Amino acid sequence: MIKKVCTTLLLISLIFCGCGKKENLPKDTLTSVKEKGILVVGIKTDTPPFGYLDKNNKNIGFDVDLAKLTAKHILGDAGKISFVTVNSSNRIMKLTSKEVDMIIAAMSITPNRQMIMDFSVPYHTAGQAIMVKNDSKISSLLELENKKAIIVFGSTVEKSLRSNVPNITIIGYKTYTEAFQALKAGKADAMIADDTILMGFAMNDNSVKILPKRYTKEPYAIAVRKNNPLMLEAVNTILKEAINRGEISQMKTKWGIN
Ligand code: GLU
């Protein structure tokens, strides 16, 4: 008898608290983006040619075009987008705290980052390289032992450099713009970052050079919050179709990326 009463009470409480009801599950980001009618994208403003500002402070770059393409496919309008500026060290927090719906920010897939968020298929592969002033005698990473190198905090290079060249003095900056200015001002012997980003700065400046060797492979992808399978599938479909149509390689040509 007591058992029967307990079971009945348990069933009643389950019905009233709505446990197991589908409506209580959090919405997939794809659904909430469609409901609010705007895609909020974490984008860089310091990382040419992926994300930077033109002279009217408008967001431009490869990642900006990719964000517009994503909004066009999800919401039917490339203009239904809002950009939130992120840097290498705050972008993950802005995604997990739901300030942005996705990150498109020259961001490499790494095993550590995959524990926190999901990544799309890659849309570009960069490699870490060294940039020095034109008159520098430095020709390799090992020659930077006991010297100073500039990096950007939160980038993959911060970790790889600390483990591969333990005796290097690392000078970190929040943005690539500040890091590049510091190299030019002679604050260190070299700047280390992804080759495509370094090229974005070296393109219009012949006082610096990029050394030929690449030290890593950096697959860039769109990052979305974990447990949002619809959004992950949507960005993957958009990217795969754009790659197959040749649109991604046209965009790379437009922004001088090889
Ligand atoms: N791709 C590297 C990374 O994800 C460097 C670019 C960046 O700092 O945003 O860390």
Side-chain angles (χ1 to χ4, degrees):
M1 179 64 185
I2 293 180
K3 208 174 157 196
K4 228 178 174 182
V5 170
C6 285
T7 317
T8 315
L9 282 175
L10 183 71
L11 274 175
I12 290 170
S13 62
L14 278 177
I15 289 163
F16 277 100
C17 80
C19 296
K21 268 194 193 168
K22 233 183 164 183
E23 297 83 7
N24 285 351
L25 291 175
K27 259 181 214 154
D28 194 287
T29 319
L30 185 70
T31 315
S32 57
V33 164
K34 283 185 175 167
E35 278 174 10
K36 65 185 171 175
I38 193 133
L39 179 68
V40 184
V41 179
I43 206 97
K44 293 283 202 75
T45 53
D46 66 320
T47 310
F50 290 94
Y52 58 115
L53 298 173
D54 70 6
K55 43 184 188 318
N56 302 315
N57 273 343
K58 216 176 107 219
N59 293 87
I60 54 166
F62 178 95
D63 285 343
V64 174
D65 284 357
L66 186 55
K68 288 180 182 164
L69 184 79
T70 309
K72 189 174 141 202
H73 280 83
I74 293 178
L75 296 168
D77 182 346
K80 288 192 169 162
I81 194 158
S82 161
F83 289 118
V84 171
T85 302
V86 298
N87 61 38
S88 302
S89 49
N90 69 13
R91 58 190 161 188
I92 298 177
M93 187 266 294
K94 286 190 189 271
L95 181 70
T96 53
S97 68
K98 300 195 177 172
E99 195 179 326
V100 300
D101 298 313
M102 61 180 62
I103 308 170
I104 311 184
M107 192 172 196
S108 309
I109 305 171
T110 71
N112 277 347
R113 289 175 181 169
Q114 277 173 316
M115 290 196 272
I116 308 169
M117 56 212 152
D118 280 337
F119 285 95
S120 69
V121 293
Y123 59 82
H124 176 65
T125 303
Q128 287 169 10
I130 301 174
M131 182 157 78
V132 290
K133 292 229 243 171
N134 245 336
D135 54 2
S136 168
K137 298 274 174 300
I138 290 187
S139 65
S140 76
L141 193 59
L142 287 181
E143 285 169 47
L144 285 170
E145 282 276 8
N146 302 309
K147 294 208 163 57
K148 292 184 200 155
I150 291 166
I151 57 115
V152 166
F153 286 131
S155 66
T156 42
V157 82
E158 183 179 7
K159 198 170 168 226
S160 63
L161 204 56
R162 284 191 206 280
S163 43
N164 294 331
V165 197
N167 289 325
I168 206 165
T169 302
I170 293 175
I171 308 181
Y173 291 88
K174 261 194 178 161
T175 65
Y176 284 96
T177 325
E178 290 165 295
F180 183 61
Q181 288 313 321
L183 177 75
K184 289 191 37 117
K187 298 245 161 77
D189 303 280
M191 170 173 168
I192 308 179
D194 291 355
D195 53 357
T196 359
I197 299 174
L198 294 177
M199 279 171 209
F201 286 98
M203 221 184 267
N204 303 312
D205 195 320
N206 50 21
S207 72
V208 292
K209 60 182 177 191
I210 301 168
L211 303 183
K213 190 161 163 82
R214 302 295 176 262
Y215 295 91
T216 58
K217 279 205 168 8
E218 304 288 326
Y220 289 8
I222 299 177
V224 298
R225 271 185 295 283
K226 274 201 174 294
N227 301 318
N228 288 278
L230 300 179
M231 184 52 109
L232 184 62
E233 197 190 315
V235 289
N236 274 334
T237 306
I238 293 163
L239 270 173
K240 283 180 200 162
E241 287 178 3
I243 291 167
N244 289 342
R245 282 197 304 272
E247 200 170 345
I248 296 294
S249 67
Q250 275 167 20
M251 278 162 57
K252 284 188 184 173
T253 309
K254 173 181 169 190
W255 295 105
I257 300 165
N258 353 309

